[in-house]
Amino acid sequence: MKTLLIHPQKTPLRGTITVPGDKSISHRAVMLAALAEGTSHIRRWLPAGDTLATLTAVQSLGIPIHIEKTSDTAWELTIEGQGLHGLRPSPEPLDLRNAGTGLRLLAGILSGQRFPSVLDGSEQLRKRPMGRIIRPLTEMGADIVAGNGRVPLIIHPASLHAISYRMPVASAQVKSAILLAGLYAEGETRVYQPGPARDHTERMLRAMGATVQEADGWVWLERPESLAPLDLTVPADISSAAFPLVAAATVPHSQITIENVGLNETRTGILAMLQAMGAAISVQNERETGGEPTADLTVRFDELHSADIGGAIVVRGIDELPVWAVAATQAAGDSTARDAAELRVKEVDRISVLAGELQQLGIDITEFTDGFTVHGPVRPSGGTADSHDDHRLGMSLAILGLLAQNDTLVHDAACVADSFPGFVETMQALGASMEWVRG
Ligand code: S3P
């Protein structure tokens, strides 16, 4: 078990950094390139715990992948796509470890194959709800056996037909699983999203020549004959950038720049949520990378005030709510997040675990069914906390530690590499006082 030691930060954070590639895009790039007709090139691919689980699963399905380890945090992949019908059965169950995105999206693809598959994962993933994909995929004709709506999933060969499906929650994983099954379904597959779920699957399918359209909350896919290979550079993950962003917004006199961050508008909720508190964030050098809008972000410390957030902004920043709560500890007044019940079915119940760990570190936080209120401003006490094997909670607690009166220990912190390999080194490059104490 690895433990992170964080000292109270006494000096400003300064510098220009990059953070690793986007996790959502990295998962999708490997899966979709596998289905392409020909060779795809992916640069700045994220070698994190979650995405590596997807890569290994795709290799087990018979896809040759050449890996060039350009650095510990960015790989270059050459993927020999075998076409829509070129996957081969895996001799072993596919183990997606903690990767919910990997598992749910692969379930969509594998539902339409002519061979059976077994999808499994870690104890953590075995607790997460799969009914949300099993229901629509079964409606499309998929033959999926699962005990109590949980993994392992046993997927038998089936022929699929298109459906029109109204998602009860705005989930990009559910939308993507259905659209990917739609690659194998007779007819036009349509999904209604009740909120702005991230659209990386749609963008990537379009870049590969598929026709994906959207209007009035509906997204629909015409079944393509084939997919063209990808040639893309993965933008830096805004979900990872969120940690140094919040650190620099809250450690006095800091100013940092994070380069080439993906600013797809379905993902920028954290910027809006921090700006609602008065955070000084500016966007420069706007351009496009890999079919996604990107830019450099500069943030400098400023006094924060409380904010109430809910609705679409929460969908656009759902993964960043734990670190937003850390910013809220420094804001004058009560800051409330609502409409965030989905947090309860992430890697862990991110509302109750966040509240428990923050309280442990001296923060006054009230929990609701669909959110929380942080009563700020308050200097965290420091002490001992635990990530509960949740990467985003581990990193949020580390950022909180920088603001504390005393040292903070975050136990079970190796999981930060599930999405952000090099998190500690990146924070250290900005001058942050944190280090690993047990390897
Ligand atoms: C993801 C979608 C979101 C997000 C997750 C990644 C994706 O989950 O929380 O971290 O890559 O599609 P939901 O689809 O469950 O909202």
Side-chain angles (χ1 to χ4, degrees):
M1 198 171 83
K2 271 173 107 175
T3 295
L4 246 178
L5 169 62
I6 303 102
H7 307 287
Q9 183 68 30
K10 299 210 170 82
T11 53
L13 302 175
R14 298 267 164 168
T16 297
I17 53 167
T18 54
V19 297
D22 189 278
K23 179 155 87 75
S24 293
I25 296 174
S26 294
H27 277 300
R28 288 161 171 79
V30 175
M31 291 184 216
L32 282 174
L35 306 179
E37 210 69 61
T39 305
S40 293
H41 299 283
I42 320 289
R43 289 167 296 278
R44 296 196 57 77
W45 186 81
L46 169 73
D50 279 10
T51 46
L52 285 169
T54 292
L55 183 138
T56 308
V58 167
Q59 285 175 319
S60 304
L61 291 163
I63 301 300
I65 303 183
H66 173 77
I67 300 170
E68 202 177 318
K69 298 185 179 174
T70 15
S71 81
D72 289 347
T73 56
W75 288 3
E76 211 166 302
L77 305 183
T78 305
I79 303 176
E80 306 292 341
Q82 304 294 305
L84 283 166
H85 299 285
L87 296 178
R88 290 205 306 269
S90 166
E92 303 290 335
L94 300 166
D95 179 5
L96 274 301
R97 309 210 286 256
N98 281 351
T101 304
L103 191 132
R104 291 191 174 117
L105 270 58
L106 266 182
I109 293 173
L110 294 173
S111 289
Q113 304 301 318
R114 296 170 187 141
F115 56 81
S117 301
V118 179
L119 287 172
D120 205 351
S122 63
E123 281 310 306
Q124 187 189 78
L125 193 54
R126 283 176 169 216
K127 291 190 189 125
R128 297 183 66 183
M130 293 297 150
R132 52 180 55 199
I133 56 158
I134 295 172
R135 276 187 292 277
L137 292 176
T138 304
E139 222 179 280
M140 294 176 84
D143 182 354
I144 303 177
V145 180
N148 204 15
R150 299 283 192 269
V151 291
L153 306 184
I154 303 165
I155 304 179
H156 296 290
S159 15
L160 305 184
H161 52 82
I163 54 167
S164 274
Y165 186 73
R166 281 182 180 269
M167 287 194 291
V169 291
S171 162
Q173 293 179 358
V174 174
K175 172 175 62 172
S176 300
I178 298 169
L179 291 176
L180 293 176
L183 294 171
Y184 299 93
E186 207 55 66
E188 196 174 78
T189 298
R190 301 171 61 89
V191 186
Y192 179 77
Q193 36 184 0
R198 63 194 69 190
D199 65 354
H200 306 298
T201 304
E202 296 92 302
R203 283 172 185 260
M204 214 175 274
L205 284 170
R206 284 188 198 112
M208 300 175 88
T211 305
V212 185
Q213 298 178 75
E214 52 193 296
D216 306 325
W218 285 93
V219 180
W220 63 98
L221 164 81
E222 285 171 30
R223 183 164 77 156
E225 284 300 311
S226 63
L227 294 174
L230 282 168
D231 183 8
L232 77 85
T233 301
V234 180
D237 198 330
I238 189 168
S239 298
S240 298
F243 301 102
L245 267 181
V246 168
T250 52
V251 170
H253 313 300
S254 298
Q255 174 161 337
I256 67 163
T257 297
I258 313 176
E259 291 178 324
N260 204 31
V261 181
L263 291 189
N264 179 316
E265 65 169 2
T266 61
R267 299 287 301 281
T268 48
I270 182 62
L271 302 184
M273 293 191 289
L274 290 173
Q275 281 162 336
M277 284 176 163
I281 301 173
S282 61
V283 176
Q284 309 97 34
N285 216 352
E286 289 180 67
R287 53 199 183 277
E288 213 183 273
T289 309
E292 297 272 349
T294 60
D296 303 338
L297 298 178
T298 295
V299 58
R300 64 181 161 73
F301 167 79
D302 207 343
E303 297 295 328
L304 299 182
H305 53 77
S306 62
D308 291 341
I309 55 161
I313 203 177
V314 162
V315 180
R316 292 168 50 228
I318 190 80
D319 291 340
E320 290 68 68
L321 282 173
V323 78
W324 180 79
V326 171
T329 67
Q330 303 307 297
D334 288 355
S335 294
T336 298
R338 288 280 193 184
D339 304 323
E342 275 293 294
L343 282 180
R344 294 202 180 271
V345 290
K346 295 296 178 187
E347 278 76 343
V348 295
D349 177 340
R350 279 189 179 151
I351 297 180
S352 88
V353 173
L354 175 76
E357 294 301 315
L358 291 196
Q359 279 157 2
Q360 178 87 2
L361 297 173
I363 305 302
D364 188 4
I365 175 169
T366 311
E367 186 183 330
F368 315 114
T369 322
D370 70 339
F372 53 82
T373 295
V374 174
H375 309 278
V378 56
R379 182 133 196 229
S381 54
T384 299
D386 195 292
S387 76
H388 295 247
D389 199 25
D390 179 336
H391 51 125
R392 302 204 197 283
L393 280 174
M395 291 185 275
S396 300
L397 295 168
I399 302 302
L400 189 74
L402 296 173
L403 307 167
Q405 238 151 357
N406 302 297
D407 283 355
T408 304
L409 281 172
V410 180
H411 290 309
D412 204 6
C415 58
V416 302
D418 281 354
S419 63
F420 193 162
F423 165 71
V424 173
E425 292 78 3
T426 304
M427 293 307 301
Q428 285 168 341
L430 295 171
S433 49
M434 60 174 74
E435 67 211 79
W436 292 111
V437 287
R438 231 177 292 154

